[in-house]
């Protein structure tokens, strides 16, 4: 049973529901932009006009066009449509001027949705006393292909990043009607979502749209300039049989053909150039003037407090899924280093021997997993934490916990495994084997601590695992919590999230020595 809840906002009147079972209020599928179809395909998003009639927000919004991916389940009833620019709002009962958390989902810039079952927000908002917004953005070639280099008058670029910016503008103008405080907005995301949050920290026009940020497992160094974007565009056009790049023909292409060509390019680019992604935000010199990894390393990002971190075994999922995205074998890693040296001959890259010194005692057969994890995720996190800590408080973490089953099959604390803990949605359905050998109760305790930390941070404080008075644990730190000290260059305190949390000084000292101080990025 549910009760209708009405929110009267600048964008219109929206009818949501209060779910008796969860105690949370939810508005699903609020349009924030016009459908990006027809003449608006590959064009900047256009804000939706104010709704003239009350809008019933009872159905999950369509996911952006994509092929099915078992690693990113959209849900049994998921609808896929090019008209996908919607968001969802969750709030506790009787919400008023609460901090706001805006979620940007991951999925290699090609998969995923705001409405995945994993991102049901009732637990997060109820325990944390926050208003939650989850948003869609365009994916794959429809969101990240930059055709502006082919015809700048007919096509715009960085579309997905602009989608997120427009959604954040909608939040600023409307979230108060749902019980949120627009002056306390924390944007957070994981994987590709974390990459987009990283980009936002370096986008000048994002200033004032958010006040805190959380970056989980961001491929922050995998963003490219116009030359690389043009190569990807040419490859896509050839794959789609549209090398003439006629705007009218491209806008008439069936969306299924765009997804097919997009998926082919997604797989081909990292096969040809190990370590590179086909689709990612473009360092275009205007919206995104410089590579975010450089801006943040030099302490020039928006000076907002930041949580950033990665998982201990990030790369094992990509090996398990036979994904082309991350080079793991020795020959592919050597090819990646050779490409980076060729592209930046003046850059002092560490030698293979120097990098290997960071992995003393690691078995040779898993050495590649460590190198791939650290070039793709961990070292960019270290570089960002170091630079950003000069301009704003930073809290750095590593998620180390894995269920007995994931440990048994060799995945461990791999990419995205922290998400069910954070969201409190540990039941992944009948096909999810994560807790087949037990560990669910322990995972529940770890997740409660994570939610308490993330939401304490969103409320404006430090991410200590203490819930607000009258919410969940009533201001008492959950069992197994530990003090999480801010990251600075003196102690480099890092929270290790596991069965019991612990704060460790200079956890990544050996990695820093092996990889050196020079920021390594793909161009």
């Amino acid at each position: 049973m549910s009760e209708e809840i009405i929110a009267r906002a600048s964008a219109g009147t929206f009818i949501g529901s209060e779910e008796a079972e969860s105690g949370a209020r939810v508005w699903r599928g609020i349009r924030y932009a016009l459908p990006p179809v027809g003449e608006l395909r590959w064009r900047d998003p256009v804000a939706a006009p104010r709704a003239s009639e009350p809008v019933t927000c009872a159905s999950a919004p369509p996911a952006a066009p994509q092929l099915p991916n078992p690693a990113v389940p959209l849900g049994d009833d998921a609808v896929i449509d090019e008209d996908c620019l919607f968001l969802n709002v969750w709030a506790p009962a009787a919400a008023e001027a609460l901090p706001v958390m805006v979620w940007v989902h991951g999925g290699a810039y090609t998969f995923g949705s705001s409405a995945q079952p994993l991102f049901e927000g009732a637990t997060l908002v109820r325990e944390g006393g926050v208003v939650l917004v989850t948003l869609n953005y365009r994916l794959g070639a429809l969101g990240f292909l930059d055709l502006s280099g082919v015809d700048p008058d007919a096509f715009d670029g960085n579309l997905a990043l602009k989608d997120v910016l427009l959604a954040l503008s909608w939040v600023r103008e409307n979230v108060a009607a749902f019980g949120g405080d627009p002056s306390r907005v924390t944007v957070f995301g994981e994987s590709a979502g974390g990459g987009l949050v990283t980009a936002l920290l370096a986008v000048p026009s994002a200033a004032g749209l958010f006040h805190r940020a959380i970056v989980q497992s961001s491929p922050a160094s995998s963003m490219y300039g116009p030359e690389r974007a043009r190569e990807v565009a040419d490859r896509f056009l050839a794959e789609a049989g549209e090398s003439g790049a006629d705007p009218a023909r491209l806008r008439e292409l069936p969306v299924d053909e765009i997804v097919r060509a997009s998926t082919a390019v997604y797989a081909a680019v990292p096969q040809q150039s190990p370590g590179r992604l086909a689709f990612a935000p473009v360092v275009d010199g205007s919206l995104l003037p410089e590579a975010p990894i450089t801006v943040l390393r030099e302490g020039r990002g928006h000076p907002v407090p930041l949580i950033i971190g990665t998982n201990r075994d990030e790369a094992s999922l990509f090996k398990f899924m036979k994904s082309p995205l991350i080079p793991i074998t020795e020959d592919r890693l050597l090819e990646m280093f050779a490409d980076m040296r060729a592209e930046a001959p003046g850059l002092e890259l560490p030698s293979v021997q120097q990098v290997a010194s960071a992995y003393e005692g690691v078995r040779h057969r898993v050495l590649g997993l460590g190198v791939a994890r650290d070039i793709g995720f961990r070292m960019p996190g270290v570089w960002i934490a170091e630079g950003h800590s000069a301009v704003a408080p930073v809290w750095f973490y590593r998620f180390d916990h894995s269920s007995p089953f994931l440990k048994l099959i060799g995945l461990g604390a791999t990419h995205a495994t922290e998400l069910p803990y954070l969201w409190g949605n540990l039941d992944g359905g009948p096909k999810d084997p994560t807790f087949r050998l037990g560990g669910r109760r322990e995972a529940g305790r770890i997740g409660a601590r994570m939610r308490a930390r993330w939401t304490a941070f969103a409320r404006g404080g430090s991410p200590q695992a203490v819930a607000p008075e009258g919410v969940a644990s009533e201001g008492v730190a959950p069992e197994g919590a530990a003090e999480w000290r801010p990251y600075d260059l003196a102690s480099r305190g890092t929270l290790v999230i596991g069965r019991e949390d612990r704060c460790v000084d200079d956890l990544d000292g050996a990695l820093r020595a092996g990889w050196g101080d020079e920021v390594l990025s793909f161009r």
Side-chain angles (χ1 to χ4, degrees), residues 137-324:
Y137 54 93
R138 283 172 278 185
L139 298 173
L142 289 165
F144 293 94
L145 186 70
D146 190 344
L147 293 169
S148 62
V150 176
D151 187 340
D153 294 324
F155 302 104
D156 299 313
N158 266 327
L159 301 174
L161 185 55
K162 291 172 181 174
D163 292 344
V164 176
L165 286 165
L166 183 59
L168 286 169
S169 296
W170 187 98
V171 170
R172 180 178 59 188
E173 299 302 320
N174 293 280
V175 79
F178 301 85
D181 180 353
S183 70
R184 290 192 292 165
V185 173
T186 296
V187 61
F188 69 132
E190 182 268 346
S191 192
L196 284 163
V197 175
T198 305
L200 289 171
L201 287 164
V203 170
S205 60
L209 290 178
F210 60 95
H211 311 91
R212 294 188 159 223
I214 301 174
V215 173
Q216 300 170 214
S217 301
S218 168
S221 57
S222 296
M223 300 183 195
Y224 320 110
E227 182 179 346
R228 182 69 59 189
R230 179 61 189 266
E231 290 177 14
V232 173
D234 289 343
R235 183 185 287 270
F236 172 85
L237 293 171
E239 180 66 37
E242 295 289 342
S243 295
D246 177 74
R249 286 176 56 86
L250 283 170
R251 290 197 166 94
E252 292 171 359
L253 272 178
V255 70
D256 288 349
E257 174 60 17
I258 293 173
V259 172
R260 183 204 63 76
S262 175
T263 304
V265 173
Y266 163 89
V269 166
Q271 289 286 3
Q272 178 179 314
S273 302
R276 291 199 182 90
L277 304 178
F279 302 115
V282 176
V283 182
D284 57 10
S286 53
L287 181 73
L288 189 57
E290 300 177 71
I293 190 70
T294 301
V295 171
L296 297 173
R297 177 71 164 101
E298 296 177 0
R300 295 186 287 111
H302 295 302
V304 300
L306 173 68
I307 289 176
I308 185 168
T310 64
N311 295 356
R312 185 188 59 202
D313 307 305
E314 293 278 4
S316 60
L317 176 68
F318 299 92
K319 180 180 180 182
F320 185 81
M321 298 291 294
K322 297 182 172 59
S323 169

Side-chain angles (χ1 to χ4, degrees), residues 407-457:
K407 194 175 297 183
L408 176 69
I409 64 173
L411 282 176
T414 193
H415 191 67
T417 51
E418 88 282 12
L419 293 177
Y421 295 72
L422 175 61
W423 288 85
N425 298 322
L426 297 173
D427 184 3
K431 295 182 180 179
D432 181 8
T434 302
F435 298 104
R436 188 170 292 169
L437 299 180
R440 188 186 298 269
R441 182 175 298 178
E442 186 172 66
R445 289 194 294 267
I446 295 168
R449 293 201 305 269
M450 287 188 70
R451 289 189 295 280
R453 291 188 188 280
W454 265 231
T455 55
F457 176 78

Side-chain angles (χ1 to χ4, degrees), residues 449-486:
R449 293 201 305 269
M450 287 188 70
R451 289 189 295 280
R453 291 188 188 280
W454 265 231
T455 55
F457 176 78
R459 288 194 299 275
S462 65
Q464 301 307 331
V466 178
E469 289 277 341
V471 176
S473 55
E474 298 182 350
V476 177
E479 177 185 351
E483 180 188 5
W484 188 358
R485 300 187 300 277

Side-chain angles (χ1 to χ4, degrees), residues 488-511:
D488 59 46
L489 298 186
S491 64
R492 301 177 186 272
T494 303
L495 187 75
V496 177
I497 300 173
R499 179 176 297 177
E500 292 189 355
D501 298 346
R502 54 195 176 94
C503 198
V504 179
D505 286 347
D506 203 7
L507 179 69
D508 302 292
L511 292 181

